[in-house]
Amino acid sequence: MSVTVLKLGGSVVTEKDSPETVDERRLEEVVSAVEGADRLVLVHGGGSFGHHHAAAHGVSQTAGTHDHEGILAIHRAMKRLNDRVVNALHARDVPALPVHPLSAGRRDHAGGLSHPVSQVATMVNEGFVPVLHGDVIAHAGAGATILSGDDLVVTLAEGLDAERVGLCSTVPGVLDDDGEVIDRIGRIEEVREILGGSDETDVTGGMAAKVEKLLTMDAPASIFGPESVDAFLVGDSPGTLIE
Amino acid sequence: MSVTVLKLGGSVVTEKDSPETVDERRLEEVVSAVEGADRLVLVHGGGSFGHHHAAAHGVSQTAGTHDHEGILAIHRAMKRLNDRVVNALHARDVPALPVHPLSAGRRDHAGGLSHPVSQVATMVNEGFVPVLHGDVIAHAGAGATILSGDDLVVTLAEGLDAERVGLCSTVPGVLDDDGEVIDRIGRIEEVREILGGSDETDVTGGMAAKVEKLLTMDAPASIFGPESVDAFLVGDSPGTLIE
């Protein structure tokens, strides 16, 4: 259905080190690039809104909780960030509508994610821009676990048969050992070769896992920095192209 | 899956004539009756939160809008009411989790409603009490239209194969011409005979339409007043039984 899925990293739109603080300048920069884009689905991460509460309640993508107050604390923090993103879009007359994954998706006992997309498709067909986000969702046998924005992007892109996927990160793309942006990654072996040797295991693990997920999709994906949202939306492939 | 679906009418939990005002006493009464109930799904109406905004933006169950600010105004008002209901439940240690229909459901071109239930079922199986509500949802060809709490109840009851359905209203049941509660309604012809002759077309039309919808379900439904939530939840059939 020729949809573009664009993810705004949590550390792009929030100040990572201050609890529940939006990076206003960055958000404004990204939102102004989104203005006028057609058939777009947005997803944003948690940044300083979600991760803080998730850590406080000991919830991760695999470690669940049945503590309803903890689940609500995480979910409401993510809704506050989503409100801010939607408001910034409305201020630019982008017809954004919120979509909260806790209301729509679930995980089965094996951890498999299901999230409907027909409501998102109807919004897009009606000219709206759905804005989803990382969230906490019901998980069979585990109570509730964290749904990352990245996993949501993959599920949406597959379900909507997206034409293009963009991930706006704080870095300008996937970097090699010399800190240079890698233009293109086509196979998982390349990721391991390139990213396997780094000392920054956490960051690297995160980026390698991200790239591995994106490689499972039919749609090509680009990873780029905030300054390249414009270029991505007009059809260029800034940063690293993963296909 | 032996689930009970209970709808709290919008005029039960809000003061209908004051914009965005919760009827604290009534909400407390209903919530205390819900305490300890097992395998329960709650739905609440819009009352003085939803209808006011829907009317202001000219949106109904059939008249849609593409005005994203109007849609958001209605949706956010319903979320504020939902927050209040969820908070009241948490204060009694009922493990309530919010589910917002705009995030999950849609209508097709013919107005047919689809709303997933697997996320609701997972919440119930994990011991949570999902709390849904009347809302505005995406509607193919029409932008967005109002989803009534009653329509949502029918869709949930069918999808979850609910054992029992309860509708808590401000009246103690379906009333006949003499103002007496009718014990049981089994066929649509009875509704028309009983309710057809009244002068109060609006109220009657509302109740007749409600009963007609409930008769389409497999599960028996009861319509009763706030004082009977307790009785309904322990297995009695207060008010009017529709089956």
Side-chain angles (χ1 to χ4, degrees):
Chain A
M1 62 180 296
S2 70
V3 165
T4 299
V5 177
L6 172 62
K7 189 202 161 199
L8 308 173
S11 45
V12 172
V13 293
T14 74
E15 294 184 15
K16 218 172 163 180
D17 300 326
S18 314
E20 301 208 10
T21 307
V22 169
D23 186 330
E24 302 284 359
R25 196 188 55 78
R26 274 275 183 68
L27 178 59
E28 187 53 33
E29 180 184 11
V30 168
V31 161
S32 71
V34 162
E35 205 179 341
D38 197 32
R39 300 186 68 74
L40 181 66
V41 174
L42 289 174
V43 176
H44 63 79
S48 62
F49 284 70
H51 296 298
H52 164 73
H53 291 280
H57 294 281
V59 191
S60 72
Q61 295 187 54
T62 50
T65 183
H66 284 88
D67 169 16
H68 56 274
E69 294 194 353
I71 295 165
L72 194 63
I74 300 165
H75 180 60
R76 283 186 173 167
M78 286 309 303
K79 278 177 172 166
R80 286 192 288 274
L81 175 55
N82 185 258
D83 275 348
R84 300 284 291 276
V85 174
V86 167
N87 289 349
L89 290 160
H90 280 207
R92 293 250 174 194
D93 218 30
V94 176
L97 293 180
V99 174
H100 307 299
L102 174 64
S103 295
R106 65 183 285 270
R107 281 206 176 91
D108 60 23
H109 279 90
L113 171 67
S114 55
H115 193 287
V117 298
S118 61
Q119 82 286 33
V120 174
T122 302
M123 287 180 184
V124 171
N125 288 338
E126 293 302 306
F128 302 114
V129 176
V131 186
L132 298 93
H133 53 84
D135 204 351
V136 59
I137 62 168
H139 187 143
T145 50
I146 299 298
L147 168 64
S148 74
D150 289 345
D151 284 344
L152 187 56
V153 162
V154 172
T155 298
L156 289 169
E158 293 293 283
L160 295 168
D161 196 15
E163 204 174 338
R164 304 174 74 221
V165 173
L167 279 84
C168 174
S169 161
T170 46
V171 287
V174 182
L175 307 181
D176 63 19
D177 276 349
D178 301 323
E180 298 290 321
V181 173
I182 302 164
D183 284 338
R184 188 177 175 283
I185 300 178
R187 290 174 310 119
I188 197 65
E189 292 72 22
E190 297 176 55
V191 190
R192 296 201 180 121
E193 270 166 42
I194 297 158
L195 301 174
S198 171
D199 285 340
E200 303 168 76
T201 38
D202 198 49
V203 175
T204 304
M207 188 58 95
K210 199 186 282 269
V211 173
E212 288 200 23
K213 276 176 200 164
L214 296 173
L215 276 170
T216 66
M217 304 189 305
D218 289 333
S222 294
I223 298 181
F224 47 82
E227 66 290 344
S228 302
V229 176
D230 254 331
F232 172 75
L233 289 175
V234 297
D236 293 346
S237 298
T240 304
L241 180 65
I242 294 161
E243 62 172 356
Chain B
M1 60 179 299
S2 71
V3 165
T4 299
V5 177
L6 172 62
K7 189 203 160 195
L8 308 174
S11 44
V12 172
V13 292
T14 74
E15 294 184 15
K16 218 172 162 179
D17 300 326
S18 313
E20 301 208 11
T21 308
V22 169
D23 187 331
E24 302 283 359
R25 196 189 54 78
R26 274 276 184 67
L27 177 59
E28 188 53 34
E29 181 184 9
V30 168
V31 162
S32 71
V34 162
E35 205 179 340
D38 197 32
R39 299 187 67 77
L40 181 66
V41 174
L42 288 174
V43 175
H44 62 79
S48 62
F49 285 69
H51 296 299
H52 163 73
H53 291 281
H57 294 281
V59 191
S60 72
Q61 294 187 56
T62 50
T65 183
H66 284 88
D67 169 16
H68 56 275
E69 294 194 352
I71 295 165
L72 194 62
I74 300 165
H75 180 60
R76 283 186 172 167
M78 287 308 303
K79 277 177 174 166
R80 285 192 288 274
L81 176 55
N82 185 259
D83 275 347
R84 300 284 291 276
V85 174
V86 167
N87 289 349
L89 289 160
H90 280 207
R92 294 247 173 197
D93 218 28
V94 176
L97 292 180
V99 174
H100 308 299
L102 173 64
S103 294
R106 64 182 285 268
R107 281 205 176 92
D108 60 23
H109 279 91
L113 171 67
S114 55
H115 194 287
V117 298
S118 61
Q119 82 284 35
V120 175
T122 303
M123 287 180 185
V124 171
N125 288 337
E126 293 301 307
F128 302 115
V129 176
V131 186
L132 298 94
H133 53 84
D135 204 350
V136 58
I137 61 167
H139 187 143
T145 50
I146 299 298
L147 167 64
S148 75
D150 289 345
D151 283 344
L152 187 56
V153 163
V154 172
T155 297
L156 288 170
E158 294 292 283
L160 296 167
D161 196 14
E163 204 174 339
R164 304 173 74 221
V165 173
L167 278 85
C168 174
S169 162
T170 47
V171 287
V174 182
L175 307 181
D176 65 18
D177 276 350
D178 301 323
E180 299 290 322
V181 173
I182 301 163
D183 284 339
R184 189 178 175 284
I185 300 178
R187 290 175 311 118
I188 198 64
E189 292 72 21
E190 296 176 55
V191 190
R192 297 206 179 115
E193 270 166 41
I194 297 158
L195 301 174
S198 169
D199 285 340
E200 302 168 77
T201 37
D202 198 49
V203 175
T204 303
M207 187 58 94
K210 200 186 282 266
V211 173
E212 289 198 26
K213 275 175 200 165
L214 296 173
L215 276 169
T216 65
M217 302 188 305
D218 290 332
S222 293
I223 298 181
F224 48 82
E227 67 290 344
S228 302
V229 175
D230 254 330
F232 171 74
L233 288 175
V234 298
D236 293 347
S237 297
T240 303
L241 180 66
I242 294 161
E243 62 172 356

